[in-house]
Structure formats: C-alpha cells, structure tokens
Amino acid sequence: MNTRNSPRRENTYAGRVGVMTSLHGYLMSHLQAFVYSLGQLWRAPLSMVMTAAVIGIALALPTGLNVLLNNAQQLSGQWGNAVQISLFLKGGVSPARAHELQKNLQRMPEISQVDFISPEQALEEFKRLSGFGDALKALDENPLPAVLVIQPSLATRDHVALENLLQRLRGLQDVDVAQLDENWLRRLSAIMSFVQRGLFLLSGMLALAVILVVGNTIRLAIQNRRDEIVVIKLIGGTDAFIRRPFLYTGLWYGLMGAGIAYLLIAIALFLLSGPVQELSSLYQSKFDLLAIDFRTLASLLVVSVLLGLGGSWLAVGRHLREIEPR
Amino acid sequence: MIQFNQTSKRYPGGHDALLNLSLDIESGEMVFLTGHSGAGKSTFLKLVALLERPSRGQLIVNGQNLAKIGRGKIPYFRRNIGIIFQDHQLLFDRTVYDNVALPLIIQGLPRAEVGKRVRAALDKVGLLKKEKVYPITLSGGEQQRVGIARAVVHKPALLLADEPTGNLDPQLSWEIMQTFEQFSQVGVTVVVASHDLDLISRMQNRILVLKDGQLIGDSKQVARA
C-alpha cells in the first residue's frame, strides 16, 4: 500500500501494529495454530488414531530392532571377555613343567588368568562333548596334548596387543601351537554390522512411508478445508497463515506416532523379557533386556516430529497453491 | 480509488469479459454496478480484488498499480478491501464471533483489540447478541449481515459487494443498502454489483451499466452532460 496515495492508510490495522505487537501477534498465531490443529484432530479421533498408529508402527519397527541390536551388542560385549588363547604344549612336557610354565605366565602383566588342562582332563571333556567316547576307547594312548588356556588382561584386548602376546607365546620352548580363539567373535561382529546396515535401509524405507502417510493425510485435510482456505485467501490471509495449522497437524501426528511407537516397543520388550531370562538362565548367564534408552527415545521423538513436519510440508507445498478463490 | 485504463479481460477460449474499460471511482464514492448476468460485473470485482488479472490495460486500486503486485503481496493488498458475497462465504464450523474475527486474526491483532473491533462490527449490523451462535442457525439476512460485519471489521478503505441482496426480501435489501451508505459517508469507497434495478434507482448513487464487457451507461457522466 502506497502511503501517499491512501490517506486512510493510518486507519487500517496493518499500519498501526508496532514491532513488539506484531512479534507478540506472530507468537500468538503460532500458539493458536498449535492448539487449533489439535482441536481439529480431536474432532475425528478415529482417523487421527489410525493415522498416528500407522506412523507409530512404522517407527516402532526400526526403533525396536535397534533396541534389540543394542541388546545383542551388549551381549557380544560380555562375550568379548571370552577372548582366550589356547597354548597346546609339546608332547614331552611333563605336568610339573607345565605347572611351572603356568605360574610364570601368570606373572605376566598381559595375562590375567591361566588354566591348566591336563591331557586326561582334555580327553574326558572330549569324550563327554563329542559323543565319540566309544571310538576313543579304541586308542592305545591319549593323543591329546596338555593345554594352557590363557585369559588376556583387559589392557591386552585390542588386536595389536593380542597379536604381540601371541608371538611371544609361540616363541616359548615348550609350546607347540598358540591359537587365538577369536574367529567366531569376528564373524559375530560382521553379522552385527550386516544387520545394522539392513536396519539402516529398513529405517530409510519406513521413514519414507511415514512421510507419504502424513503427506496423504494432510492432502485430504486440505481438500476437506478447501472452502475455509478460499475464504482466508479472500480476506488477505498469507500462505504462511494458511500453511501453519496443517504443519502443526503434521507435527502432532509426529508426536503421537512417537508416543505409540514407544508404547509398542515397551510392550514388546515386556513380552520378550520373560523368554529372554529363561534362555539366558539356560546358558548359566544373567542377562536382562535393556529398556529403550534416552538417546534412542530422543531420536525417535525428533525423527518422528521431523517426518510429520516433512510430510505435511510436502503436501501443503503441492496442494495449497492449487486452491485459489474464483 | 479505482481507475480502469483501457482494461480488458479475455478468458481462455476467446471470450471477452471486459473490453477496453476506462473509468474512475473516487475515494469515498458509493457506486452501483449493474447489467445482465454475463455483462462483466463479477469480472469487474474480481479484477479489483486481484482474484484475476487484466489481460490488457491498466488497473489502479488504492494508489497501487495491480500489475506490480506480486503473488506474495496479494494478501496484504486484500487486507485493505472488504468483500461481501452473495453466498456469504461464512465458515459454518465457527461461531459468528470467530467468523467476524478472522480478518483481524489473520493480521495478528492482540486478543483484546480483536474483541473490541468484532463487537463494534456486530453492533453495527445489529447482531451483537448472536456472537456465540453458529451461522447455520441464522436466517439468510442475518448471515449476510455477518458477512458484512466480517468485511468491515478491519476498516478497509474499499468495500466490494457482489449481489449482496440477491436472496433477500426488499425490506432487508433496503436496510443493507442503507448500511453501505453509512460506510461510504465515513469515507469508505463502496462498489455494489447488483441487478436489482428497482432498489438501485431508489438510491441516489452513481450507477455504472455494463453490457457485453463494455460500459454503456454512467449516471455521473449523464449528470455532467
């Protein structure tokens, strides 16, 4: 509006509103849209709950799997303690020498514990575990060597330190073979990273699904409120003003979706905790399922809200322009 | 206030809704726009409210060349116009109060100020007691008055009315025209499109007659001549 040519300008409200008032008005209009959009959702609770549930399920899947993965990683961390080196001693080494070697090794700072398994004990164990007990009876003498099982100290857990220790042990006079039992751990961690990558892809696809669900819901909401949008455009509502309640609707969907996802995960963990305890007691270990942690929860909330906003932003950007007063 | 300068509007398909229209409407004037349906009355109002843009020629409203108002500026331009529709265009899921408050809320006015202005506007059209009512429960005449209250609540410099008395009985139509007259007396420019010739002739205002998109009668020029 050109002030010189419009003497009535100072009479219109747009001309009188000061900076503070307009800032206040801006915040108020956001608050209004925030509350108003929730009110709109409450009017159709069934469709609101259904949409929020779809979002919740889509988000619960990757988040829940992530929680399980965290649990598995914690478990494999415990197993990480089980990295051990088996020293197979030469055939001629007497039990006394083996015990002396055990004592010497025990004093090394890189080693926390050394267990001695005599050939007889090894044979017993092998008979028990392999099921070849009868076949072994056919042997004249015990083919198994004495073994020293070494637990490296905590400081010696990384690969280089272990490799150094292994070299030194191989150099010992009485040692036939020194073997690091960590292949299965490497495999486990490879499987973990494979699962992690799969989870990442799955999350991406489900995030896309959430955006599409929210976008479609908002598109329908825009079509339902077509008359209202036309009227607001006619009386001078800006695009931002019209966009706002729809964006907040998307935000609400995100919040509710996150809530439902959290609920679903909590229920799933509760249902799983019984069988898991049973399983771990069978392995003589004590393992409690980790609940969903704060970081996961926070990122669930943030991602969910962003996806809700993103979906509604897409829908609003596409469909609001099409509605013009005629 | 409104200046048409060789303005034409041609719709896709070649139909000329307005053809080389040139006229001036002064600030504070009240003007009737008449003619048969299809004569160009609605197009006239749509061009002035920037619902559509001229195909050729110039149009200046409230000192602004409309060709120079970009899409993003249209809402701010419309805030200086009040528009009244034949079908009222009220929002039926909101109370009378909320309907009338809408233009002020769009402009981000403080709540207390909104309350004052809305009640003043409702008082003006005699509907102060109906503020908490939903429009669906009102009669046609009352709905139209709510529409008028909404059109004037933000004190626009220009009031456009498209067949505002279309479905109303003569007595109500007369009262509504009197309300418009009062607005024009306090400086608001009022343009009323209507084919109710009987009503128009009883008012002492300038009359523009359109036919096939062209101005074929202007009572102001007749009076001068």
Side-chain angles (χ1 to χ4, degrees):
Chain A
M1 167 100 22
N2 189 322
T3 315
R4 270 170 303 155
N5 292 331
S6 60
R8 286 183 50 82
R9 162 73 186 196
E10 62 275 13
N11 262 343
T12 65
Y13 281 110
R16 262 200 262 153
V17 176
V19 175
M20 280 317 287
T21 328
S22 60
L23 179 68
H24 179 256
Y26 181 75
L27 293 177
M28 278 306 290
S29 72
H30 269 274
L31 191 67
Q32 270 167 356
F34 187 66
V35 178
Y36 172 78
S37 54
L38 184 64
Q40 288 295 327
L41 287 174
W42 270 132
R43 288 183 179 202
L46 192 67
S47 69
M48 169 187 76
V49 167
M50 285 203 299
T51 304
V54 170
I55 298 167
I57 291 166
L59 291 171
L61 220 68
T63 314
L65 287 174
N66 189 45
V67 170
L68 289 182
L69 192 69
N70 283 347
N71 274 297
Q73 271 167 343
Q74 191 216 17
L75 201 58
S76 74
Q78 285 178 5
W79 289 341
N81 293 342
V83 171
Q84 54 186 21
I85 297 170
S86 302
L87 287 187
F88 297 92
L89 303 184
K90 285 177 182 159
V93 178
S94 70
R97 278 194 66 140
H99 278 294
E100 197 176 330
L101 183 59
Q102 182 188 8
K103 272 183 214 152
N104 288 338
L105 289 174
Q106 194 85 65
R107 276 186 228 111
M108 286 172 70
E110 294 97 327
I111 291 169
S112 71
Q113 200 188 335
V114 184
D115 290 313
F116 176 68
I117 300 172
S118 69
E120 292 75 26
Q121 283 172 319
L123 189 63
E124 274 309 304
E125 199 177 332
F126 188 66
K127 275 182 187 167
R128 193 156 43 81
L129 292 176
S130 69
F132 291 123
D134 290 335
L136 287 171
K137 274 181 195 157
L139 295 170
D140 293 339
E141 55 181 273
N142 185 354
L144 296 174
V147 181
L148 289 173
V149 178
I150 295 173
Q151 305 281 344
S153 65
L154 279 175
T156 325
R157 281 291 144 78
D158 69 280
H159 196 69
V160 180
L162 277 175
E163 207 57 47
N164 282 339
L165 180 62
L166 204 56
Q167 287 306 324
R168 284 177 58 192
L169 294 173
R170 275 183 187 140
L172 291 174
Q173 196 188 347
D174 298 332
V175 171
D176 187 15
V177 176
Q179 192 177 316
L180 185 61
D181 301 334
E182 56 152 15
N183 277 348
W184 67 275
L185 257 186
R186 284 195 192 163
R187 279 180 205 134
L188 184 68
S189 88
I191 289 171
M192 291 283 204
S193 59
F194 167 72
V195 170
Q196 222 157 14
R197 181 65 57 89
L199 195 59
F200 186 72
L201 290 174
L202 183 73
S203 306
M205 280 189 275
L206 287 169
L208 197 64
V210 169
I211 287 180
L212 292 178
V213 166
V214 174
N216 199 44
T217 308
I218 299 292
R219 182 179 65 82
L220 290 175
I222 290 171
Q223 276 168 4
N224 283 337
R225 312 195 73 77
R226 199 185 178 90
D227 293 345
E228 184 179 339
I229 292 168
V230 166
V231 169
I232 291 175
K233 283 196 173 181
L234 278 172
I235 59 179
T238 56
D239 285 353
F241 182 87
I242 297 166
R243 208 183 291 135
R244 216 167 282 146
F246 293 111
L247 293 181
Y248 276 114
T249 304
L251 185 135
W252 278 117
Y253 275 130
L255 282 174
M256 287 186 239
I260 290 176
Y262 175 69
L263 216 64
L264 289 175
I265 293 165
I267 291 171
L269 287 178
F270 174 74
L271 292 177
L272 284 174
S273 69
V276 163
Q277 252 153 23
E278 223 174 288
L279 189 68
S280 71
S281 74
L282 287 179
Y283 279 94
Q284 272 102 44
S285 94
K286 226 176 89 72
F287 178 72
D288 289 318
L289 266 183
L290 287 175
I292 183 166
D293 61 316
F294 178 75
R295 241 189 78 193
T296 313
L297 193 62
S299 46
L300 169 68
L301 199 66
V302 169
V303 167
S304 180
V305 164
L306 286 181
L307 290 177
L309 274 177
S312 56
W313 187 272
L314 279 179
V316 163
R318 270 186 59 84
H319 301 290
L320 226 46
R321 236 163 214 269
E322 293 164 9
I323 302 177
E324 281 293 335
R326 288 277 165 263
Chain B
M1 175 58 80
I2 302 175
Q3 195 182 341
F4 280 78
N5 210 341
Q6 299 284 310
T7 315
S8 297
K9 175 66 185 178
R10 170 174 289 196
Y11 285 110
H15 171 65
D16 286 308
L18 287 178
L19 201 58
N20 285 331
L21 195 65
S22 293
L23 60 89
D24 266 304
I25 296 173
E26 298 292 325
S27 194
E29 220 179 343
M30 176 155 166
V31 178
F32 283 107
L33 193 62
T34 191
H36 295 294
S37 57
K41 302 192 295 289
S42 292
T43 305
F44 183 105
L45 295 180
K46 280 178 183 170
L47 290 183
V48 172
L50 252 178
L51 296 180
E52 275 164 9
R53 290 180 183 276
S55 326
R56 266 185 296 123
Q58 203 182 31
L59 178 52
I60 293 168
V61 177
N62 212 352
Q64 285 180 290
N65 185 348
L66 297 197
K68 292 193 174 134
I69 297 180
R71 192 183 177 279
K73 294 274 183 244
I74 291 176
Y76 302 99
F77 167 75
R78 286 197 191 133
R79 288 178 189 183
N80 288 288
I81 302 178
I83 310 177
I84 295 153
F85 308 88
Q86 184 176 4
D87 55 357
H88 325 315
Q89 297 267 24
L90 300 178
L91 300 176
F92 287 98
D93 61 342
R94 302 180 191 211
T95 61
V96 166
Y97 178 96
D98 287 336
N99 266 283
V100 176
L102 204 53
L104 302 178
I105 288 172
I106 282 170
Q107 296 187 22
L109 246 68
R111 191 189 294 261
E113 187 77 17
V114 170
K116 259 192 282 175
R117 293 305 317 158
V118 169
R119 295 203 174 88
L122 282 174
D123 193 24
K124 188 129 203 144
V125 297
L127 285 175
L128 195 49
K129 291 201 176 99
K130 303 271 188 181
E131 63 169 90
K132 291 196 177 71
V133 161
Y134 285 87
I136 197 81
T137 64
L138 298 176
S139 70
E142 286 172 325
Q143 290 188 12
Q144 188 56 288
R145 273 141 67 199
V146 174
I148 293 171
R150 187 184 65 192
V152 300
V153 71
H154 56 300
K155 294 186 175 178
L158 173 61
L159 200 55
L160 304 176
D162 192 5
E163 302 284 1
T165 61
N167 298 319
L168 304 180
D169 62 58
Q171 178 58 31
L172 268 176
S173 304
W174 180 252
E175 282 171 18
I176 282 176
M177 288 305 173
Q178 292 307 310
T179 314
F180 288 156
E181 181 72 51
Q182 285 167 20
F183 288 128
S184 111
Q185 273 160 18
V186 296
V188 180
T189 311
V190 184
V191 179
V192 181
S194 174
H195 56 247
D196 190 346
L197 292 173
D198 185 42
L199 179 66
I200 290 170
S201 58
R202 280 196 285 154
M203 306 281 294
Q204 300 291 313
N205 299 98
R206 182 179 171 190
I207 301 171
L208 301 171
V209 186
L210 289 175
K211 190 185 180 192
D212 297 330
Q214 285 175 298
L215 189 66
I216 59 164
D218 186 342
S219 61
K220 195 179 185 180
Q221 281 170 3
V222 173
R224 273 182 201 151

